[in-house]
Amino acid sequence: MSEKNITIGLLTSGGDAPGMNAAIRAVVRRGCYKGFRVIGIKRGYLGLLNEEFVELKERSVADILQAGGTMLGTERCLEMHEEDTQQKAADICRRNGIDSLIVIGGDGSFTGALRLAERGVSVIGVPGTIDCDIACTDYTIGFDTAINTAMRAIDNIRDTASSHAKCSMIEVMGRNSGYIALWSGLASGAEQALIPEKGDCDPAEIMDKVSLHRERGKKNNILINAEGVGTAEDLAGKVGERGGINVRTTVLSYIQRGGSPTCRDRVYASIMGAKAVDLIADGKANRVVAYKGDRFIDLDIKEALAMEGAMNENEEYICEIMESLSL
Ligand code: F6P
């Protein structure tokens, strides 16, 4: 495969994340710079199956660096769990002369890529999800913007919670991971972050801590509920019932997934997108770009997906610090 004749397929898959556009731009421009052809695939794996292709040149990605979302569109494609569909997708890649497919998304999207790799398609994964829940990497595109957006929203809620001396519970995203809750919580002076990694939440224990803070003269109580522990509505009801108070809930939902990416998300997404192209230029296949220990690295996709993330001592320590700083 001579460098000049390489065709890259590019798709974004799963939940969108701020910075995905920066990564798309980097893949396209770095690819063109290396003399490659880049085909954008719309709507993730669904678009691949429907052959929704668009040729991307340098100017096709002008003015998208600062925009949230993904210009290619994205979908959650459940059909990709089926073997027939995986084979169909691999055949489409081959028939359309795609030498290497770059997939920007989370671990579900990487699993789809692995299935294609097992069917002979060369793939490269770039981590893009606000959840920061891919075990092989310390950073995923979109996480930094999501925590900053959540932090600002919590700051706003604090203003009114303080004026009205209220207890507020804010539900943030993260699927089964508590990173968004932990980071946005510590950054906004929350009292408690209720995260799935810590196991079941005891409403009585949560309320006891709230009461203690009130006795010490706190005017507001900010509790962050990661969606993985259950809904804020349900938990707030139980906590409030226990203490005989009204716990007001706010669900941040897509507010924290949209918006213009932060500087960090733009920079890391640009580096990761460019690195994905460089791996292809170096003849590498079936790799995942990752960020570990302050370095951008690449790992075998199968090994990367086999890694397991558990709550580490550091995160437990952060939780404990958060509670002690909000007294
Ligand atoms: O993976 C990103 C994420 O925003 C999760 O935090 C959340 O659980 C999920 O996607 C929501 O998915 P949907 O877009 O289907 O509502």
Side-chain angles (χ1 to χ4, degrees):
M1 188 160 62
S2 102
E3 272 210 4
K4 283 280 171 223
N5 293 328
I6 289 177
T7 297
I8 294 174
L10 170 64
L11 62 82
T12 49
S13 162
D16 68 334
M20 278 186 167
N21 276 326
I24 291 170
R25 173 180 175 271
V27 168
V28 174
R29 295 233 168 124
R30 186 77 166 181
C32 292
Y33 171 74
K34 299 248 173 204
F36 301 163
R37 183 174 174 228
V38 183
I39 297 175
I41 300 162
K42 293 189 171 172
R43 301 197 304 132
Y45 290 112
L46 206 60
L48 176 62
L49 293 165
N50 292 324
E51 301 188 42
E52 295 173 36
F53 298 150
V54 52
E55 177 115 20
L56 297 174
K57 298 259 170 64
E58 289 95 329
R59 302 273 32 100
S60 319
V61 291
D63 294 334
I64 64 164
L65 177 65
Q66 74 286 4
T70 157
M71 69 165 279
L72 289 173
T74 183
E75 289 280 346
R76 297 188 193 279
C77 181
L78 297 178
E79 295 97 299
M80 271 303 279
H81 292 293
E82 292 159 21
E83 291 194 4
D84 286 359
T85 310
Q86 294 159 8
Q87 191 55 51
K88 183 180 168 192
D91 292 343
I92 289 172
C93 287
R94 254 188 300 275
R95 186 156 29 82
N96 286 280
I98 293 173
D99 299 302
S100 193
L101 178 69
I102 296 180
V103 173
I104 305 173
D107 53 4
S109 308
F110 287 0
T111 302
L114 175 59
R115 298 293 164 253
L116 294 180
E118 288 162 354
R119 286 162 177 77
V121 179
S122 296
V123 298
I124 304 285
V126 175
T129 164
I130 61 165
D131 301 337
C132 204
D133 62 348
I134 307 178
C136 70
T137 182
D138 294 340
Y139 166 84
T140 58
I141 296 166
F143 175 67
D144 192 59
T145 307
I147 53 175
N148 277 286
T149 306
M151 176 191 73
R152 283 192 300 272
I154 299 164
D155 286 348
N156 288 3
I157 291 166
R158 174 188 290 281
D159 287 346
T160 195
S162 189
S163 304
H164 291 265
K166 279 207 183 293
C167 178
S168 280
M169 186 178 286
I170 298 117
E171 181 183 311
V172 296
M173 283 184 160
R175 203 179 291 274
N176 298 317
S177 139
Y179 283 116
I180 297 178
L182 216 50
W183 278 75
S184 61
L186 186 61
S188 57
E191 285 173 25
Q192 300 178 52
L194 314 167
I195 59 173
E197 292 89 335
K198 279 172 77 178
D200 286 344
C201 292
D202 177 5
E205 199 181 307
I206 296 167
M207 188 59 223
D208 288 349
K209 287 181 186 166
V210 168
S211 302
L212 182 71
H213 287 155
R214 295 227 154 191
E215 279 160 26
R216 293 184 175 192
K218 259 191 103 92
K219 291 254 177 354
N220 60 56
N221 308 93
I222 303 286
L223 313 174
I224 312 297
N225 166 32
E227 64 176 359
V229 299
T231 68
E233 198 187 341
D234 184 40
L235 193 56
K238 291 180 184 152
V239 172
E241 199 176 273
R242 164 88 187 185
I245 61 166
N246 175 27
V247 179
R248 192 67 182 254
T249 57
T250 307
V251 180
L252 295 189
S253 187
Y254 292 146
I255 286 173
Q256 77 214 277
R257 212 164 82 185
S260 179
T262 58
C263 179
R264 186 176 195 217
D265 270 330
R266 295 181 199 193
V267 170
Y268 282 29
S270 299
I271 293 171
M272 287 180 153
K275 186 170 172 70
V277 174
D278 291 350
L279 291 174
I280 295 168
D282 290 345
K284 293 197 183 175
N286 309 335
R287 311 291 293 173
V288 166
V289 178
Y291 181 77
K292 272 274 172 202
D294 280 337
R295 286 182 57 228
F296 293 94
I297 59 165
D298 58 285
L299 303 155
D300 174 76
I301 188 166
K302 197 168 182 188
E303 287 171 17
L305 276 169
M307 293 179 183
E308 282 179 24
M311 186 170 184
N312 61 39
E313 277 170 27
N314 208 21
E315 283 136 39
E316 212 153 347
Y317 185 43
I318 293 173
C319 265
E320 194 256 306
I321 288 175
M322 185 188 308
E323 295 197 11
S324 72
L325 296 188
S326 66
L327 283 176

